[in-house]
Amino acid sequence: DATELFENIPPNIEQFFASSNLIYGSLPELLNNLPKLRQFNMSSNALSGSLPGFTESFATLQELDMSNQPNGFTGPIPDNIWRSLSLKVLNLADNRLTGSIPSLVGNLAVLEVFDLTNNIIKGAIPSDLGMLDGSLKHLGLSNNLFTGSIPFEIGRLQGASVFVKLKDNNYYDSSKTAPLGLCKLRNVKEFDLVNDTESELCPVERNALSDFYYSTKGAEWTDSTDWLDEYASYCDWHGVTCDDDKQHVTELELSNNGLSGRLRESIRHLTFIEKLDLSDNDIKGSIPTEIGKLSNLAYLRLSYNAFTGTAEGLRELTKLQLLHLQSNRITGMPIMTQLDMSKYNKSTFVTDCGVPSAFDETPECQNCTMCCEYYSNVPQF
């Protein structure tokens, strides 16, 4: 019985470990006269009732582990626990605790483990948790009843593992998206909703666009309005057009916008895109073969950049109606026999070919509708 256990506890005790001992019942409302207590662990027992208050040890307490109680502690977390500024571990997972997390949690400057998994905690996740950057390494808030949005400040927790999935597949607000920085694991080590296809809190296409931004040096673009906003829909980012349901990217138009760098393979995740115009920029490197996997692509302009290598992967684009590759350094042109030339006629397939040429060997293009000689870009039919 837990009550009997604390009748004769010595007041100068510093560590109390009694986990996995089949201890049942409730604890005293207050655990007084323990001014030197640093560690208190009664996890994996059969305790119930309210959590005790640590009125005289809140200044010294470093570890409090009352997790995994089948019957479960109930009620709110005592206020003085949030004032235990020496706490490094606060593990109250697997109980039936209620109430909310106060902003005072941000004052626990040395907290390393904070776990409230599998409780009935409500309200918003406080943004003050972001103040624990540099100390907090494990944040467990899964299977509770939080509402509101996931604060982007959590994404600043360098090297932390973050678990926030809700009970019964309920989802957070803010258009059902988690902060972009959290989804991209820019600072955190782990985030449990990154690949959660049911909640769609981390849309794959938003992640792909984020990769595109960094690989083409988005900070140097002429116009990058709303790009990488933590919560704004990626459909509202400059140059992005989505379908009527605001779910999938159908167009990406960023011509003459100061793009440089390279294209990454992650562009393959824009599986619904129909129009891609990146012309008149300074993108280098090879054209990723993954672009050839964009089966809905009908309009592709990569002209006036600094692409090199071949473009053989584009031959898989069976719905393509326009392809402009001129004024690059591409040496291997694809054979595009499937091109539908009914819409753009002689402007359908334009590349660098013909003579004179800046290439050691004049590029050949078997079914181009127009050749642009490299130096002057004079069209040749």
Side-chain angles (χ1 to χ4, degrees), residues 279 281-285 287 301-308 324-331 333 350-352 358-359 374 377:
S279 59
N281 285 293
D282 190 30
I283 307 173
K284 299 176 176 65
I287 299 174
R301 290 190 70 208
L302 301 177
S303 50
Y304 301 99
N305 277 283
F307 288 110
T308 57
H324 287 186
L325 300 175
Q326 73 270 24
S327 196
N328 282 287
R329 297 288 298 180
I330 300 170
T331 55
M333 296 298 171
V350 184
T351 68
D352 296 316
F359 297 93
Y374 186 86
N377 286 313

Side-chain angles (χ1 to χ4, degrees), residues 339-357:
L339 274 173
D340 178 3
M341 294 185 288
S342 61
K343 185 173 183 178
Y344 297 102
N345 300 314
K346 290 184 177 180
S347 297
T348 299
F349 186 10
V350 184
T351 68
D352 296 316
C353 50
V355 292
S357 173

Side-chain angles (χ1 to χ4, degrees), residues 27 34 80 129 132 139 150 155 158 194 253 315 325 373:
L27 298 179
L34 301 174
N80 56 21
L129 284 166
L132 304 183
L139 177 61
I150 302 172
Q158 190 74 40
V194 164
E253 298 183 81
R315 69 174 62 195
L325 300 175
E373 184 275 318

Side-chain angles (χ1 to χ4, degrees), residues 43-84:
S43 60
S44 302
N45 282 292
L47 298 171
S48 58
S50 301
L51 282 172
F54 293 83
T55 54
E56 293 190 17
S57 55
F58 72 90
T60 59
L61 193 62
Q62 297 178 10
E63 177 181 332
L64 177 60
D65 190 343
M66 309 289 276
S67 62
N68 192 27
Q69 309 294 336
N71 297 323
F73 287 106
T74 56
I77 300 170
D79 288 343
N80 56 21
I81 289 179
W82 304 116
R83 294 182 172 85
S84 300

Side-chain angles (χ1 to χ4, degrees), residues 213-350:
Y213 176 89
Y214 283 111
S215 68
T216 58
K217 301 182 180 180
E220 301 174 4
W221 291 0
T222 304
D223 190 345
S224 59
T225 304
D226 287 334
W227 277 75
L228 303 193
D229 185 281
E230 292 286 354
Y231 296 107
S233 170
Y234 53 91
C235 297
D236 296 328
W237 295 359
H238 171 71
V240 178
T241 301
C242 291
D243 56 16
D244 293 339
D245 295 329
K246 298 291 184 180
Q247 293 293 320
H248 301 295
V249 177
T250 56
E251 297 181 7
L252 181 58
E253 298 183 81
L254 292 170
S255 62
N256 192 26
N257 198 48
L259 279 66
S260 56
R262 298 170 181 267
L263 296 184
R264 289 182 181 171
E265 295 78 5
S266 55
I267 198 170
R268 72 183 185 276
H269 294 301
L270 303 179
T271 53
F272 292 83
I273 195 167
E274 300 171 5
K275 182 176 183 178
L276 178 61
D277 189 348
L278 306 178
S279 59
D280 294 280
N281 285 293
D282 190 30
I283 307 173
K284 299 176 176 65
S286 59
I287 299 174
T289 57
E290 285 77 9
I291 289 184
K293 306 297 183 182
L294 302 177
S295 58
N296 291 299
L297 199 59
Y299 184 106
L300 177 59
R301 290 190 70 208
L302 301 177
S303 50
Y304 301 99
N305 277 283
F307 288 110
T308 57
T310 71
E312 296 294 337
L314 302 182
R315 69 174 62 195
E316 299 181 46
L317 298 172
T318 58
K319 294 184 180 181
L320 210 56
Q321 297 177 343
L322 182 140
L323 175 60
H324 287 186
L325 300 175
Q326 73 270 24
S327 196
N328 282 287
R329 297 288 298 180
I330 300 170
T331 55
M333 296 298 171
I335 300 174
M336 306 294 292
T337 56
Q338 76 279 23
L339 274 173
D340 178 3
M341 294 185 288
S342 61
K343 185 173 183 178
Y344 297 102
N345 300 314
K346 290 184 177 180
S347 297
T348 299
F349 186 10
V350 184

Side-chain angles (χ1 to χ4, degrees), residues 178-202:
L180 177 59
L182 193 55
C183 290
K184 289 301 297 174
L185 306 180
R186 289 187 196 141
N187 297 303
V188 300
K189 176 183 177 181
E190 186 179 2
F191 178 45
D192 62 339
L193 295 175
V194 164
N195 298 311
D196 192 319
T197 56
E198 290 185 11
S199 67
E200 296 182 353
L201 281 166
C202 291

